[in-house]
């Protein structure tokens, strides 16, 4: 069965700055190639409307720029060809191999996981919160950028269900970004009465 892997870049605190600013992302050639190598193996990309529209506004034609770095041009092809599911109650149609789904329905998500193919990559804070509330996220690949952002959008929205995690691996990139790869099943999170949590 395929896993649902929440994948996100975050500052030390937020996934977006005020006004959805992500100009602080430190994506160099090494990190971008890692993204390409990882996401090429995905079975599909799952996102909410905002994330999908941001991606669709750039990636379909990014490789037409003759000055685009090789990893950028490569990812444009990966993004166009990969099946995509966007969860939205307002979108009527989406291009680029995209299916629009109205709600996160656990039975439908589990059926999607049972199809053959690579893991399903989940992106976007609001849709991630819906998946997390229903216990549908199997793993997290969080890329922590060495930047302080004074406000913005947190990755984990208030109301996300607590979940025990197990550290499955880490990687530090040359630009200071650190990948934290966790899987579900690390035991129950510490409660406030647990002295070890203080």
């Amino acid at each position: 069965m395929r896993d649902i892997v929440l994948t996100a870049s975050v500052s030390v605190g937020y996934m977006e700055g005020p006004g959805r600013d992500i100009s602080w992302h430190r994506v160099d050639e090494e990190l971008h190639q890692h993204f390409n190598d990882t996401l090429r193996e995905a079975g599909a990309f799952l996102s909410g409307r905002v994330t999908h529209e941001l991606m669709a506004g750039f990636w379909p034609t990014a490789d037409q720029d003759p000055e685009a770095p090789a990893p950028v041009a490569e990812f444009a092809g990966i993004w166009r060809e990969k099946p995509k599911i966007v969860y939205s109650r307002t979108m009527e149609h989406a291009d680029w191999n995209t299916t629009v789904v109205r709600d996160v329905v656990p039975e439908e998500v589990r059926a999607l996981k049972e199809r053959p193919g690579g893991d399903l990559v989940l992106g976007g804070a609001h849709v991630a919160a819906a998946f997390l509330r229903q216990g549908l996220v199997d793993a997290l690949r969080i890329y922590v950028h060495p930047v302080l952002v004074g406000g913005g959008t947190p990755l984990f929205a208030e109301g996300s269900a607590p979940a025990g995690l197990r550290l499955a691996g880490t990687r530090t990139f040359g630009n200071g970004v650190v990948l934290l790869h966790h899987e579900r099943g690390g035991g129950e999170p510490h409660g406030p009465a647990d002295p070890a949590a203080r």
Side-chain angles (χ1 to χ4, degrees), residues 34-174:
H34 165 80
F35 288 154
N36 291 357
D37 295 342
T38 302
L39 297 174
R40 185 184 298 108
E41 304 303 317
F45 298 152
L46 316 180
S47 69
R49 178 188 58 80
V50 172
T51 298
H52 178 78
E53 288 179 346
L54 286 171
M55 299 294 280
F58 178 77
W59 288 110
T61 59
D63 53 352
Q64 294 177 14
D65 179 354
E67 296 185 10
V72 170
E74 180 184 13
F75 185 71
I78 293 170
W79 189 87
R80 278 194 307 265
E81 298 303 319
K82 196 66 61 179
K84 291 168 280 294
I85 297 174
V86 58
Y87 291 87
S88 172
R89 294 179 182 167
T90 58
M91 289 181 72
E92 295 299 327
H93 173 75
D95 295 317
W96 307 110
N97 202 16
T98 303
T99 302
V100 178
V101 175
R102 293 288 173 235
D103 294 295
V104 178
V105 178
E107 295 76 17
E108 293 176 1
V109 173
R110 291 187 189 103
L112 184 63
K113 290 175 61 173
E114 290 174 357
R115 295 181 189 168
D119 288 340
L120 306 167
V121 175
L122 176 65
H126 296 294
V127 73
F131 273 75
L132 287 164
R133 277 193 301 271
Q134 300 187 64
L136 296 171
V137 174
D138 302 297
L140 298 91
R141 296 179 67 86
I142 308 301
Y143 296 85
V144 182
H145 295 242
V147 179
L148 288 174
V149 177
T153 306
L155 175 57
F156 301 107
E158 187 175 341
S160 296
L165 301 173
R166 179 182 67 80
L167 183 63
T170 64
R171 176 174 172 180
T172 301
F173 295 88

